[in-house]
């Protein structure tokens, strides 16, 4: 998924701030912002996955109701659907500083 790719790209930049005082100060602020951004994207992905599950269930319900409402025809409408994951979990958040680990 895109979020996993994002954390991998960020991990490639791990330690980019160095160890000098201004670099570590910047890294702290950057890390906090990066974590908020990735967490927000993760929440948005999870909300859309939940919405897709609800739409999928609506389709199942509609197909079952349509099948049941046809006189003399009481069959399972069948479902050939691709299941989407229920949620994505947090990845490791890479650190911009060299001296800290999360």
């Amino acid at each position: 998924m895109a979020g996993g790719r994002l954390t991998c790209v960020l991990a490639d930049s791990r330690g980019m701030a160095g160890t000098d005082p201004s670099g570590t100060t910047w890294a702290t602020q950057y890390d906090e912002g990066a974590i908020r951004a990735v967490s927000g994207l993760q929440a948005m992905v999870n909300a859309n996955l939940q919405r897709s599950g609800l739409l999928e269930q609506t389709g199942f319900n509609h197909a079952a109701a349509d099948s049941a409402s046809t006189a003399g025809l009481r069959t399972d409408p069948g479902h050939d659907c691709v299941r989407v994951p229920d949620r994505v979990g947090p990845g490791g958040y890479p650190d911009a500083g060299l001296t800290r680990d999360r």
Side-chain angles (χ1 to χ4, degrees):
M1 293 201 113
R5 188 175 331 163
L6 174 62
T7 55
C8 287
V9 169
L10 289 173
D12 288 343
S13 299
R14 184 181 187 93
M16 66 183 159
T19 57
D20 62 277
S22 61
T24 56
T25 300
W26 175 86
T28 299
Q29 294 169 352
Y30 174 88
D31 291 342
E32 291 169 1
I35 289 170
R36 282 194 306 270
V38 171
S39 295
L41 288 171
Q42 178 183 331
M44 185 176 63
V45 167
N46 285 332
N48 284 315
L49 288 172
Q50 188 174 32
R51 183 186 338 235
S52 72
L54 293 170
L55 287 171
E56 179 183 50
Q57 188 59 50
T58 299
F60 291 159
N61 292 345
H62 177 76
D66 190 44
S67 175
S69 69
T70 304
L73 180 65
R74 185 88 177 178
T75 62
D76 178 18
H79 304 113
D80 262 354
C81 292
V82 176
R83 302 296 289 184
V84 296
D86 292 330
R87 35 185 317 109
V88 294
Y93 299 115
D95 225 332
L98 284 173
T99 58
R100 300 182 318 263
D101 278 326
R102 289 203 196 277

